[in-house]
């Protein structure tokens, strides 16, 4: 704003009748009236903030940066330099209304932060997180002590101790809500590092609130001593009343509401009124009103009530009112006050030393707890995240005249700069892929028969569960080769909450589900835990991934790599209807499957669910499946045979392996097509095919030799010349089997499937998989389409990472979404 607007001596006259205008046709200027002016200011703030969010999105900046920069842009540093703009849009007489509304928004936002915080995490936090939080606060606080003498602009009536407290807390605080979003953006929230950072930030945040309450108590009572003591004691009494009186009253409300019913408007209204009453009480006793709202939020029990409050308030408060508070901070920030080389030098020194103090403190503790130096530095950088709490501290400091314009502007720039550089630096120095050691057993074929078989199972809805459990039951868990199942419930991220991965411990029985999603999760978890209890040699670890569908494959692939899985089972995007047809459930599921196939760090199986022995799970001694493996050749088919081989060792499984061999007509067709399209690309594929054919022969020979005396295994060779004969051969055995296992067969040239891809509905399943999964195919058997992990070197060492492209998959994903032409059908996926 203009200099006239920031004079300490201005006298503002308010006309109580000038709230709403009579209209421009009556000759009134709407901007002379408080309501139209406030609406315009709010519109300006929201639009500028949203534009900044859009501009900074490619740089992966947290929204808080966009909101603060939006405020600075509207303030005296940029647009406010114009007297016309400052006096028209943000005149001094409007500041009272603007700040009042901003503080109401802040009040409810801090209430929501309190509701979302699980204070029980602090009880469960290990010594490591506690030590990191304390070490990350002490050094920056000490630097704040030094800077208080350097800046030396405190009010004469203010004690040096109060000034030190404000600067120290502002420099040492870590913004818990902002850090959660940064970790989610960096895909680190599910890692051990992310969990430590979150726990430490939560402890840091709680300490900051205590110190802030103390700082306000000291700042508002210049005569100090006795008055400050009364403020502290009153605050403690308020907290105790909230815990021992208000919390039981809210718990009584929860008990009065039947399970599954929505909370009455009266209860919700009562709680929202309680927020304002808490704010009023803490403001009256001498701490800030937001302290009361935050404490009131913390005492709300975790459960459906918290979810209801967040759903009702979050969009309005976070989207509309909270940006006002950041805008107020920006309007108060005048960068011109930081004049001269000395001031800018001190500012640079504050940024460097406060950042290094947190990094060094965190690094020392990390090394003590045997973390790597890279992890320690990354953790230190993440703990430098600033946000709302720091802005509250600075604004309170300015209101109490602890900080002058110069100190305030300097500290706002410090907060913005430090938070802005965290994401780019962490992206460069710490990549989760680097922490994974290469592991060899990325495929079923290469898994040792006497070692643990690790499977990651993805589930969208409870409907997927029975068939998947029956499939796992048939996978033959033994004492020599137990099965470790990671069950991942995939949930779409809605709203602006952070993407997260929830590891489920056994939930307390009788505790109601918070919402439909958790009810589904509970149903899925209970089914798999029941399977684990009634089956020997199986361990189950249930998890829930909450993320956008566009990045869900990253969570799946990262988890598979992290858990060193050999196989991922993911449901097909279509499900069977009552009349036996197949209908798509959600188009996004198909995109997830395609992305998993392209980026998976291990083998993948897409399960087309048509019921595997009905909808109920069979006990271990009742398993009776007739499984057919259709073998055409190639790495995917060898993987399908490897899974069938594992199954056939189960006493209740009958396995039929049908190997399709090309007849003379098919061989002639293949030779002719090679001559016709004899470019280097096809010749190289044909050369690879010869190698594959040799590997096929060796693997099938070994399979037949090992299972020569196994009466439950039937091996059939079918000689076919074209796609039509292949379909006839498959139809001849479909009615006697309840599961087909087929290879995806990507990049394979085969006249045996000629013509099958011309009208392909789902090319990602391959020619045979697509045929078996189609509504037209006269079969009611489930289908597992298998893709072998392709990033295996000569020694079988998996050196790929979740995001590395598959070496042999470039070809089939070129035209995955368009129907292949007859000329290209040999190369279709």
């Amino acid at each position: 704003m203009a200099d006239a607007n920031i004079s300490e001596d201005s006298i503002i006259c308010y006309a109580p009748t000038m709230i709403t205008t009579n209209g421009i046709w009556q000759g009134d200027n709407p901007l002379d009236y408080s309501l139209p002016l406030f609406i315009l200011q709010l519109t300006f703030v929201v639009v500028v903030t949203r534009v900044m969010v859009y501009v900074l999105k490619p740089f992966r900046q947290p929204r808080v940066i966009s909101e603060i920069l939006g405020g600075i842009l509207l303030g005296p540093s940029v647009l406010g330099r114009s007297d016309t703009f400052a006096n028209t849009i943000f005149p001094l007489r409007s500041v009272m209304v603007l700040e009042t509304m901003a503080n109401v928004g802040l009040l409810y936002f801090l209430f929501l932060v309190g509701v979302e915080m699980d204070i029980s995490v602090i009880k469960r936090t290990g010594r490591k997180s506690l030590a990191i939080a304390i070490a990350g606060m002490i050094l920056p606080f000490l630097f704040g002590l030094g800077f208080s003498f350097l800046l030396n602009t405190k009010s004469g009536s203010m004690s040096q101790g109060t000034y030190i407290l404000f600067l120290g807390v502002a420099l040492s605080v870590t913004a818990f809500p902002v850090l959660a979003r940064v970790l989610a953006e960096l895909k680190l929230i599910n890692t051990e590092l992310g969990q430590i950072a979150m726990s430490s930030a939560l402890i840091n945040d709680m300490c900051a609130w205590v110190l802030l309450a103390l700082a306000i108590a000291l700042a508002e009572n210049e005569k100090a001593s006795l008055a400050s003591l009364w403020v502290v004691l009153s605050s403690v009494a308020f907290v105790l009343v909230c815990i021992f009186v208000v919390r039981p009253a809210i718990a009584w409300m929860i008990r009065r509401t039947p399970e599954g019913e929505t909370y009455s408007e009266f209860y919700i209204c009562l709680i929202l009124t309680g927020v304002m009453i808490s704010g009023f009480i803490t403001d009256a006793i001498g701490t800030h009103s937001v302290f009361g709202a935050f404490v009131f939020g913390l005492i709300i029990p975790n459960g459906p009530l918290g979810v209801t409050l967040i759903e009702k308030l979050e969009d309005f408060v976070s989207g509309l009112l909270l940006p006002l508070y950041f805008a107020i901070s920006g309007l108060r920030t005048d960068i011109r006050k930081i004049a001269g080389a000395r001031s800018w030098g001190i500012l640079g020194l504050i940024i460097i030393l406060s950042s290094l103090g947190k990094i060094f403190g965190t690094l020392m503790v990390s090394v003590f707890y045997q973390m790597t130096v890279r992890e320690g530095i990354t953790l230190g950088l993440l703990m430098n995240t600033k946000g709302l709490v720091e802005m509250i501290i600075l604004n309170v400091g300015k209101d109490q005249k602890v900080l002058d314009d110069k100190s305030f502007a300097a500290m706002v720039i410090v907060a913005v700069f430090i938070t802005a550089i965290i994401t780019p630096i962490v992206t460069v120095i710490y990549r989760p892929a680097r922490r994974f050691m290469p592991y060899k057993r990325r495929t079923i074929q290469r898994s040792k028969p006497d070692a643990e078989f690790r499977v990651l199972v993805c589930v969208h809805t409870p409907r997927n569960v029975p068939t998947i459990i029956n499939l796992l039951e048939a996978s033959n868990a033994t004492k020599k080769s137990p099965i470790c199942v990671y069950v991942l419930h995939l949930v779409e991220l809605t709203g602006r909450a952070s993407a997260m991965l929830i590891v489920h411990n056994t939930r307390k029985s009788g505790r109601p589900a918070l919402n439909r999603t958790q009810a589904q999760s509970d149903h899925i978890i209970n089914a798999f835990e029941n399977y684990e209890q009634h089956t020997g040699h199986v361990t189950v670890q249930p998890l829930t991934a909450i993320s956008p569908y566009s990045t869900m494959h990253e969570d799946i692939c990262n988890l598979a790599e992290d858990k060193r899985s050999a196989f991922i089972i993911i449901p097909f995007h279509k499900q069977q209807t009552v009349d036996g047809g197949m209908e798509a459930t959600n188009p996004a599921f198909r995109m997830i499957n395609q992305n998993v196939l392209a980026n998976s760090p291990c083998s993948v199986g897409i399960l087309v669910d048509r019921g595997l022995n009905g909808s109920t799970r069979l006990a271990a001694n009742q398993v009776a499946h007739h499984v057919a493996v259709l073998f055409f050749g190639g790495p995917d088919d060898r993987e399908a045979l490897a899974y069938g081989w594992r199954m056939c060792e189960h006493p209740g499984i009958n396995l039929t392996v049908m190997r399709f061999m090309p007849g003379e007509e098919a061989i002639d067709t293949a030779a002719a097509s090679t001559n016709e399209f004899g470019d280097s690309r096809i010749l190289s594929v044909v050369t690879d095919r010869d190698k594959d054919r040799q590997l096929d022969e060796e693997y099938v020979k070994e399979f037949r030799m090992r299972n020569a005396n196994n009466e439950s295994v039937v091996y059939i060779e079918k000689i076919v010349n074209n796609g039509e004969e292949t379909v006839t051969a498959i139809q001849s055995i479909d009615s006697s089997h309840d599961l087909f296992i087929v290879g995806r067969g990507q990049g394979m040239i085969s006249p045996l499937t000629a013509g099958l891809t011309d009208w392909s509905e789902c090319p990602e399943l391959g020619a045979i998989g697509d045929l078996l999964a189609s509504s037209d195919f006269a079969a009611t058997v489930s289908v597992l389409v298998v893709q072998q992990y392709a990033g295996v070197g000569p020694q079988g060492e998996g050196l790929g990472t979740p995001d590395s492209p598959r070496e042999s998959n470039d070809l089939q994903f070129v035209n995955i979404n368009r129907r292949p032409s007859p000329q290209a059908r040999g190369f279709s996926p």
Side-chain angles (χ1 to χ4, degrees):
M1 282 179 280
D3 290 338
N5 273 358
I6 51 176
S7 167
E8 296 288 345
D9 304 315
S10 299
I11 297 170
I12 311 300
C13 298
Y14 294 94
T17 55
M18 293 184 70
I19 295 172
T20 54
T21 175
N22 293 317
I24 54 174
W25 309 118
Q26 301 282 351
D28 286 350
N29 179 0
L31 298 184
D32 289 338
Y33 294 80
S34 59
L35 183 62
L37 180 60
F38 172 71
I39 292 169
L40 182 68
Q41 289 169 336
L42 185 59
T43 306
F44 250 97
V45 168
V46 172
V47 168
V48 169
T49 300
R50 286 292 151 190
V51 169
M52 292 302 294
V53 168
Y54 180 76
V55 169
L56 295 177
K57 194 174 183 181
F59 303 101
R60 303 173 82 179
Q61 293 300 320
R63 203 176 76 182
V64 66
I65 297 293
S66 308
E67 288 168 340
I68 297 172
L69 287 178
I72 292 172
L73 199 66
L74 292 170
S77 304
V78 187
L79 294 175
R81 288 192 174 200
S82 160
D83 290 351
T84 310
F85 178 84
N87 293 324
T88 306
I89 307 298
F90 293 102
L92 267 178
R93 60 186 166 78
S94 71
V95 170
M96 188 175 74
V97 176
L98 200 61
E99 289 201 9
T100 303
M101 287 306 296
N103 278 285
V104 169
L106 182 66
L107 201 72
Y108 279 101
F109 183 77
L110 264 297
F111 167 69
L112 289 179
V113 170
V115 170
E116 287 178 331
M117 268 192 188
D118 185 0
I119 205 160
S120 63
V121 170
I122 295 176
K123 297 175 191 171
R124 299 195 302 267
T125 299
R127 290 179 183 175
K128 188 193 293 186
S129 297
L130 187 64
I132 285 168
I134 293 167
M137 286 191 81
I138 291 171
L139 273 176
F141 197 92
L142 293 175
F143 284 134
L145 189 149
F147 294 138
S148 69
F149 292 101
L150 263 177
L151 291 169
N152 199 28
T153 51
K154 63 184 177 58
S155 166
S157 60
M158 191 62 55
S159 70
Q160 184 74 27
T162 308
Y163 192 65
I164 289 169
L165 200 54
F166 267 95
L167 271 183
V169 175
L171 288 174
S172 59
V173 73
T174 299
F176 176 78
V178 179
L179 179 65
R181 281 155 180 77
V182 168
L183 288 169
E185 175 70 31
L186 292 167
K187 290 285 178 187
L188 291 176
I189 203 161
N190 306 329
T191 63
E192 186 188 356
L193 188 83
Q195 300 296 335
I196 293 168
M198 290 285 279
S199 301
S200 302
L202 186 60
I203 296 165
N204 188 303
D205 233 13
M206 299 302 289
C207 293
W209 277 106
V210 173
L211 290 171
L212 175 60
L214 188 64
I216 294 168
L218 292 170
E220 289 189 345
N221 299 283
E222 294 164 12
K223 293 163 190 171
S225 60
L226 200 60
S228 297
L229 182 64
W230 278 115
V231 171
V232 173
L233 290 174
S234 304
S235 302
V236 172
F238 170 78
V239 172
L240 292 174
V241 168
C242 283
I243 294 170
F244 295 109
V245 178
V246 181
R247 185 180 170 90
I250 294 171
W252 177 81
M253 286 183 199
I254 293 170
R255 286 195 301 273
R256 290 261 301 177
T257 306
E259 187 180 331
E261 293 287 318
T262 55
Y263 289 91
S264 72
E265 284 187 23
F266 175 71
Y267 288 159
I268 299 296
C269 189
L270 210 59
I271 290 167
L272 297 183
T273 308
V275 178
M276 290 185 280
I277 293 169
S278 300
F280 173 78
I281 292 169
T282 47
D283 202 65
I285 62 178
T287 49
H288 200 284
S289 56
V290 295
F291 180 74
F294 178 68
V295 171
F296 191 75
L298 277 178
I299 61 153
I300 301 287
N302 292 329
L305 178 60
V307 173
T308 305
L309 290 167
I310 290 164
E311 284 174 354
K312 286 186 180 293
L313 287 176
E314 190 171 33
D315 289 330
F316 180 69
V317 172
S318 302
L320 207 60
L321 295 182
L322 191 65
L324 267 183
Y325 188 78
F326 289 109
I328 290 289
S329 304
L331 290 168
R332 291 174 158 198
T333 307
D334 190 352
I335 295 172
R336 292 175 298 175
K337 295 289 183 185
I338 310 171
R342 183 177 181 275
S343 296
W344 283 103
I346 290 171
L347 179 64
L349 196 65
I350 294 172
I351 290 171
I352 292 165
L353 289 182
S354 63
S355 304
L356 289 179
K358 233 178 204 334
I359 292 169
F360 187 67
T362 306
L363 181 61
M364 283 195 300
V365 177
S366 303
V367 171
F368 176 76
Y369 280 101
Q370 298 177 334
M371 293 170 71
T372 64
V373 173
R374 187 190 294 276
E375 285 179 328
I377 292 170
T378 305
L379 202 52
L381 281 165
L382 291 169
M383 296 301 287
N384 268 300
T385 309
K386 309 292 181 190
L388 187 64
V389 180
E390 177 161 16
M391 297 314 297
I392 294 168
I393 293 165
L394 297 178
N395 277 296
V396 170
K398 193 169 190 308
D399 288 340
Q400 303 300 330
K401 297 185 172 55
V402 178
L403 302 174
D404 64 354
D405 291 342
K406 179 181 171 182
S407 301
F408 181 82
M411 295 305 291
V412 169
I413 292 169
V414 167
V416 171
F417 185 81
I418 290 176
T419 308
I421 63 171
I422 286 169
T423 306
I425 292 177
V426 171
T427 305
V428 171
I429 72 163
Y430 186 81
R431 293 176 184 173
R434 290 184 181 178
R435 70 187 179 86
F436 294 123
M437 292 296 291
Y439 68 100
K440 296 180 182 181
R441 313 299 167 196
R442 292 174 183 264
T443 67
I444 303 169
Q445 190 182 344
R446 292 201 61 82
S447 294
K448 289 182 178 178
D450 57 349
E452 185 180 56
F453 179 46
R454 297 190 174 195
V455 184
L456 173 60
V457 170
C458 301
V459 179
H460 291 295
T461 66
R463 181 170 176 169
N464 306 140
V465 173
T467 296
I468 289 176
I469 287 180
N470 280 328
L471 180 66
L472 292 170
E473 187 72 82
S475 300
N476 192 36
T478 62
K479 189 175 182 180
K480 273 176 63 183
S481 180
I483 297 179
C484 181
V485 183
Y486 297 95
V487 182
L488 187 62
H489 181 203
L490 305 176
V491 179
E492 185 188 14
L493 174 69
T494 53
R496 288 184 306 281
S498 302
M500 64 186 72
L501 186 136
I502 302 165
V503 180
H504 296 277
N505 299 313
T506 307
R507 273 171 26 90
K508 294 173 186 173
S509 58
R511 185 176 169 188
L514 304 187
N515 48 36
R516 182 171 172 268
T517 300
Q518 188 173 331
Q520 284 197 340
S521 279
D522 289 351
H523 189 87
I524 292 163
I525 291 162
N526 290 338
F528 276 97
E529 284 179 349
N530 185 46
Y531 158 62
E532 180 184 21
Q533 288 164 10
H534 291 85
T535 311
H537 316 300
V538 173
T539 54
V540 172
Q541 171 66 74
L543 308 103
T544 299
I546 305 173
S547 59
Y549 284 142
S550 57
T551 61
M552 199 169 270
H553 67 282
E554 293 179 25
D555 292 323
I556 296 167
C557 296
N558 288 342
L559 186 66
E561 179 98 34
D562 195 15
K563 303 299 184 186
R564 297 172 175 257
S565 302
F567 196 43
I568 297 172
I569 299 172
I570 191 162
F572 187 47
H573 69 277
K574 292 183 180 181
Q575 62 186 24
Q576 195 170 29
T577 56
V578 179
D579 60 1
M582 299 295 287
E583 66 172 8
T585 49
N586 188 333
F589 294 173
R590 183 181 185 186
M591 178 186 71
I592 294 167
N593 292 359
Q594 290 172 343
N595 287 334
V596 169
L597 288 168
N599 297 294
S600 172
C602 61
S603 295
V604 181
I606 295 180
L607 179 62
V608 181
D609 179 7
R610 292 196 179 104
L612 199 54
N613 276 15
S615 60
T616 56
R617 192 186 71 77
L618 299 175
N621 57 359
Q622 293 177 308
V623 172
H625 295 307
H626 295 273
V627 180
V629 173
L630 306 180
F631 191 93
F632 291 84
D636 294 348
D637 284 31
R638 290 195 295 275
E639 189 75 350
L641 181 57
Y643 195 37
W645 191 344
R646 182 181 176 94
M647 283 183 167
C648 76
E649 292 169 5
H650 192 292
I653 299 292
N654 291 308
L655 178 69
T656 302
V657 176
M658 181 175 276
R659 187 180 184 188
F660 293 83
M661 307 290 286
E664 289 182 13
E665 186 184 324
I667 293 168
D668 294 341
T669 305
S673 65
T674 305
N675 292 332
E676 187 180 347
F677 306 107
D679 57 38
S680 58
R681 189 178 181 187
I682 290 182
L683 285 172
S684 67
V685 174
V686 171
T687 308
D688 291 341
R689 181 71 186 117
D690 290 337
K691 292 176 186 173
D692 268 333
R693 196 173 286 126
Q694 186 180 347
L695 291 169
D696 291 344
E697 289 294 342
E698 289 171 1
Y699 196 62
V700 170
K701 185 179 178 182
E702 184 186 0
F703 169 77
R704 293 183 67 184
M705 187 175 69
R706 295 273 184 92
N707 292 284
N709 299 320
N710 191 340
E711 293 179 2
S712 63
V713 176
V714 177
Y715 177 81
I716 305 168
E717 285 189 357
K718 282 274 184 183
I719 296 174
V720 291
N721 292 297
N722 51 47
E724 192 178 335
E725 291 182 13
T726 301
V727 173
T728 306
I730 295 170
Q731 286 175 330
S732 68
I733 62 164
D734 65 355
S735 58
S736 57
H737 293 80
D738 43 27
L739 175 67
F740 278 140
I741 305 177
V742 297
R744 183 172 168 235
Q746 77 277 11
M748 301 299 297
I749 298 175
S750 177
L752 308 188
T753 57
L756 298 183
T757 56
D758 289 354
W759 305 105
S760 162
E761 291 179 25
C762 303
E764 68 270 17
L765 296 182
I768 302 299
D770 180 66
L771 170 75
L772 296 172
S774 68
S775 303
D776 304 326
F777 194 73
T780 53
V781 294
S782 296
V783 184
L784 184 68
V785 181
V786 178
Q787 172 184 279
Q788 188 176 59
Y789 174 67
V792 179
Q795 284 77 39
E797 289 186 2
L799 302 175
T801 63
D803 297 320
S804 64
R806 288 168 51 92
E807 292 169 14
S808 65
N809 264 9
D810 298 339
L811 198 56
Q812 75 274 10
F813 274 94
V814 172
N815 52 4
I816 193 159
N817 289 320
R818 70 167 189 256
R819 187 176 295 150
S821 62
Q823 290 81 8
R825 75 166 64 111
F827 291 94
S828 66

